[in-house]
Amino acid sequence: MHPRIDDYALIGDEQTAALIGRDGSVDWLCLPRFDSAACFARLLGDEENGYWRIAPKGVEGPCTRRAYRPDTLVLDTEWETGEGAVRVTDLMPQRDRAPDLVRVVEGLRGRVTMHSTLKIRFDYGSIVPWVRKSGGQRVAVAGPDSVWLRSEPEVHTWGKDFGTHAEFTVEEGEKVAFVLTWHPSHEARPKAVDPHKALHSSVHDWQKWARRCHYRGPYRDAVVRSLITLKALTYRPTGGIVAAPTTSLPEEPGGVRNWDYRYCWLRDSTLTLNVGLSAGYREEAEAWRDWLLRAVAGDPADLQIMYGLAGERRLPECELPWLSGFAGSRPVRIGNAAVDQLQLDVYGEVMDSLYLARRAGLPAKPHMWNIQASLIEWLRAAWRQPDEGLWEVRGGRRQFVHSKVMVWVAVDRAVRTLEENPELPGDLERWRALRDAVHREVCERGFDPKRNTFTQYYGSRELDAALLLMPRVGFLPPDDPRVTGTIDAVREELGQGGLLRRYSTDRTAVDGLPGDEGTFLVCSFWLADALHMTGRGKEARELFDRLVGLANDVGLLSEEYDPVQRRQLGNFPQAFSHVGLVHTALALFGHDEAG
């Protein structure tokens, strides 16, 4: 039986991440970066595509219990057996140069026989490396990649399955450790990390970081877990934040809606920056702002919806036919062709983020306003173009209402910046006129007066959950009848099991794709925000409580949720979902609870 997406837990070192199942198996790990090729790809295939399992001998099923150590990204997985009890602790310590995966096995009671099976398969499970001994370690090499395995128990390489195995026993109080280290195959052996010291320092460092959180309100554990997850999805060298550490986890099991999310989306920028500043993580917010400025620098017409970890622009999409896909969901894709789409909403996200950063007192960069002014001047001529919209539809461009609202946001933030900083250059009157023109067109062409709701795109009857953001971005006040009408219509038409879909997939070919998808978790957080803003606080809190309860046993959320089968769907864990959780907690409870 194939595991569920929510069976997994995350560990990472802020440059890459691993997913570990309830059975103690590392089934996904890309080295050395989030977007590198995976050396464990069982998540999207089978055992022959690479994994590393440590568990009691003869135990095939899930563990007895597991949990993160409080306020850390250090994972404890425990088994109770007839022989006794044992714990496996997994972590990826902050790297010096080389990434390390540390696994510490500790006897808790009795005497338990353990088995470790390691199958390295480079290039997304397609390449079996040459494994040899060197200085008491095992080293696996293929082309540019090599990994070194240091273990306190003796390990053996068995030819029949091209795997490395160890069988050993641990008694109460006894600890043994394994360390897997990647480095380029042409370089010298990397410096060895002490696994026990690494465990101690990782726990200390994560807990110290978590104490910086200002939020002290209800659901604090869920908020801190989300912030830790966002920190883990941050590429430390540049400050970029990946949407998820995975690719091709399906939005519909067995379907084709399988995308690579190991990149940085501009659509996440304002919420991410706001969450960082509000929760007490100014340094991280500034790093994200600086990444954003570097990424968008250049011709405004070339602004992309997403970039690589360091701001790379070329993210070509292809398929990996040798992988069977999670639960048979094909194709497995790497890269993302949506990078070439036009999405006008990202101009609003960038301008809103930089406006927020300036108002929060983050040090302004000398070139920042020049970039912003260039973006507005480009929009002045281009804003009436149709685009692919927030959700990266592949069914053709349309006049999406949310995109036009975010054009208004872009111009509005430019106008506000000039009003608040009159020393800056800019054509204030022209920009005010542009802002008014965009607002007028959206209200005339994007609103259905008969149904009292804004629509997904001009002239359509379809709705879009992104319309819920209108009052939050200031396009209309929360008490405007058009806002409340839109909230009610979206809730009625896109609701499923009390949660929200982002748009309809069964009545329109707007996304150009076959099949279906689950409810979109961040959209449900947006609904809670909108209910709160329009005075329906009790409903907002009830919805938030339910959404927090959808997290798996270690507090992680994917992109989507299936309320019928009660399972998480899509790439995992999803930054957008965790940003939504923190933002909604701050909106509902942070006004009188934050320090």
Side-chain angles (χ1 to χ4, degrees):
M1 182 177 179
H2 204 284
R4 296 159 55 105
I5 290 172
D6 41 35
D7 281 339
Y8 288 95
L10 176 82
I11 61 171
D13 65 358
E14 296 179 66
Q15 296 191 46
T16 191
L19 293 188
I20 304 174
R22 295 177 190 266
D23 61 350
S25 179
V26 183
D27 286 350
W28 182 253
L29 175 60
C30 300
L31 292 172
R33 307 193 335 172
F34 291 107
D35 57 353
S36 299
C39 64
F40 299 141
R42 182 188 186 189
L43 180 74
L44 299 177
D46 58 30
E47 292 184 355
E48 293 309 311
N49 300 122
Y51 72 104
W52 184 11
R53 184 170 190 246
I54 300 178
K57 182 181 179 180
V59 175
E60 298 299 329
C63 62
T64 305
R65 69 186 69 89
R66 65 175 181 173
Y68 288 113
R69 299 207 179 172
D71 291 351
T72 77
L73 202 65
V74 176
L75 180 70
D76 287 327
T77 304
E78 297 181 3
W79 286 266
E80 298 277 353
T81 75
E83 298 175 301
V86 66
R87 172 190 298 139
V88 176
T89 299
D90 290 306
L91 64 143
M92 294 189 73
Q94 285 289 334
R95 69 176 76 170
D96 178 14
R97 289 183 59 193
D100 298 292
L101 171 57
V102 175
R103 313 197 76 182
V104 179
V105 184
E106 179 181 1
L108 302 177
R109 178 176 52 80
R111 189 171 188 267
V112 182
T113 301
M114 302 292 291
H115 192 92
S116 167
T117 299
L118 169 66
K119 289 189 178 182
I120 297 289
R121 300 292 187 266
F122 293 123
D123 194 23
Y124 299 102
S126 66
I127 297 175
V128 179
W130 184 266
V131 181
R132 60 182 171 83
K133 283 186 177 181
S134 178
Q137 301 182 36
R138 286 290 196 282
V139 57
V141 178
D145 297 295
S146 66
V147 295
W148 293 75
L149 175 66
R150 289 187 294 117
S151 65
E152 292 169 353
E154 179 71 17
V155 298
H156 303 277
T157 302
W158 294 352
K160 65 177 183 180
D161 66 352
F162 298 100
T164 300
H165 301 261
E167 191 169 298
F168 56 98
T169 60
V170 287
E171 299 182 357
E172 183 175 342
E174 184 181 4
K175 294 181 181 180
V176 297
F178 298 79
V179 181
L180 189 73
T181 305
W182 178 95
H183 78 120
S185 59
H186 65 276
E187 294 184 358
R189 181 185 307 185
K191 180 181 177 180
V193 64
D194 183 315
H196 304 289
K197 289 183 179 178
L199 171 57
H200 180 269
S201 60
S202 291
V203 170
H204 174 269
D205 291 346
W206 276 111
Q207 290 179 342
K208 180 181 178 182
W209 185 86
R211 285 195 293 271
R212 289 168 49 196
C213 178
H214 288 176
Y215 181 75
R216 295 292 184 271
Y219 305 93
R220 187 175 190 277
D221 287 347
V223 169
V224 172
R225 176 53 52 199
S226 290
L227 290 168
I228 288 173
T229 303
L230 294 171
K231 179 72 167 171
L233 298 180
T234 301
Y235 185 63
R236 188 182 185 94
T238 66
I241 302 175
V242 296
T246 56
T247 179
S248 299
L249 290 181
E251 298 173 16
E252 179 185 36
V256 301
R257 296 168 181 259
N258 317 316
W259 315 108
D260 194 345
Y261 274 22
R262 297 172 299 158
Y263 307 112
C264 308
W265 264 256
L266 298 191
R267 72 180 183 192
D268 304 2
S269 58
T270 303
L271 272 180
T272 303
L273 192 69
N274 187 38
V275 159
L277 291 169
S278 300
Y281 293 98
R282 186 182 180 90
E283 178 183 331
E284 287 77 8
E286 186 171 353
W288 172 244
R289 190 280 310 268
D290 291 346
W291 176 91
L292 186 64
L293 278 173
R294 293 192 301 270
V296 305
D299 187 341
D302 295 332
L303 188 69
Q304 297 184 177
I305 68 169
M306 72 182 86
Y307 296 86
L309 306 177
E312 298 92 344
R313 290 173 175 259
R314 295 169 62 88
L315 310 174
E317 182 178 303
C318 66
E319 298 177 4
L320 306 182
W322 62 86
L323 290 174
S324 59
F326 185 93
S329 305
R330 285 177 167 168
V332 171
R333 297 181 174 95
I334 59 172
N336 200 312
V339 70
D340 297 321
Q341 291 186 352
L342 172 66
Q343 292 185 19
L344 294 175
D345 63 283
V346 299
Y347 292 84
E349 296 290 357
V350 171
M351 291 297 295
D352 201 13
S353 296
L354 298 180
Y355 175 73
L356 175 63
R358 185 184 294 272
R359 293 204 70 186
L362 295 184
K365 300 292 184 179
H367 60 290
M368 187 168 80
W369 178 248
N370 290 335
I371 291 176
Q372 291 178 266
S374 296
L375 294 176
I376 298 303
E377 284 303 308
W378 184 85
L379 275 180
R380 191 167 61 84
W383 72 272
R384 285 192 167 91
Q385 295 184 47
D387 71 341
E388 277 90 0
L390 172 70
W391 304 124
E392 299 151 22
V393 301
R394 300 193 178 196
R397 294 182 177 180
R398 288 173 168 80
Q399 298 284 2
F400 286 104
V401 172
H402 174 73
S403 295
K404 304 306 185 192
V405 168
M406 294 308 294
V407 168
W408 177 89
V409 169
V411 185
D412 176 73
R413 298 328 185 243
V415 168
R416 291 195 203 182
T417 301
L418 280 183
E419 291 172 343
E420 296 166 10
N421 303 271
E423 74 280 2
L424 294 174
D427 193 334
L428 183 57
E429 292 309 313
R430 177 178 283 185
W431 291 355
R432 282 173 174 160
L434 174 60
R435 180 178 63 176
D436 292 344
V438 176
H439 197 280
R440 183 168 54 251
E441 179 175 295
V442 170
C443 291
E444 290 175 356
R445 301 185 61 191
F447 184 73
D448 182 346
K450 293 182 179 179
R451 298 159 64 208
N452 190 32
T453 182
F454 285 93
T455 59
Q456 185 178 38
Y457 54 91
Y458 292 172
S460 76
R461 287 188 53 81
E462 305 301 328
L463 301 182
D464 191 318
L467 299 169
L468 297 172
L469 297 173
M470 281 184 163
R472 194 164 79 191
V473 299
F475 185 82
L476 287 172
D479 59 356
D480 189 296
R482 292 168 293 182
V483 168
T484 54
T486 300
I487 294 171
D488 291 340
V490 167
R491 198 177 186 185
E492 173 67 25
E493 295 193 20
L494 298 182
Q496 182 182 7
L499 306 175
L500 273 191
R501 303 165 67 87
R502 51 183 177 170
Y503 53 81
S504 172
T505 58
D506 57 1
R507 293 184 304 177
T508 175
V510 67
D511 63 13
L513 296 167
D516 203 358
E517 63 182 27
T519 60
F520 215 74
L521 290 175
V522 77
C523 296
S524 299
F525 284 114
W526 293 348
L527 176 58
D529 293 339
L531 292 171
H532 172 70
M533 292 186 72
T534 54
R536 290 177 272 186
K538 183 175 183 293
E539 293 177 70
R541 291 188 294 272
E542 288 174 349
L543 177 56
F544 181 73
D545 181 74
R546 183 179 178 203
L547 287 166
V548 172
L550 298 180
N552 73 354
D553 60 312
V554 290
L556 301 181
L557 291 168
S558 65
E559 179 183 32
E560 301 179 11
Y561 185 79
D562 180 350
V564 177
Q565 299 296 326
R566 298 184 179 181
R567 59 186 174 186
Q568 298 197 34
L569 299 172
N571 283 300
F572 174 90
Q574 177 81 358
F576 218 9
S577 299
H578 285 282
V579 167
L581 187 153
V582 179
H583 184 276
T584 302
L586 291 168
L588 295 181
F589 312 110
H591 61 284
D592 58 0
E593 297 287 353

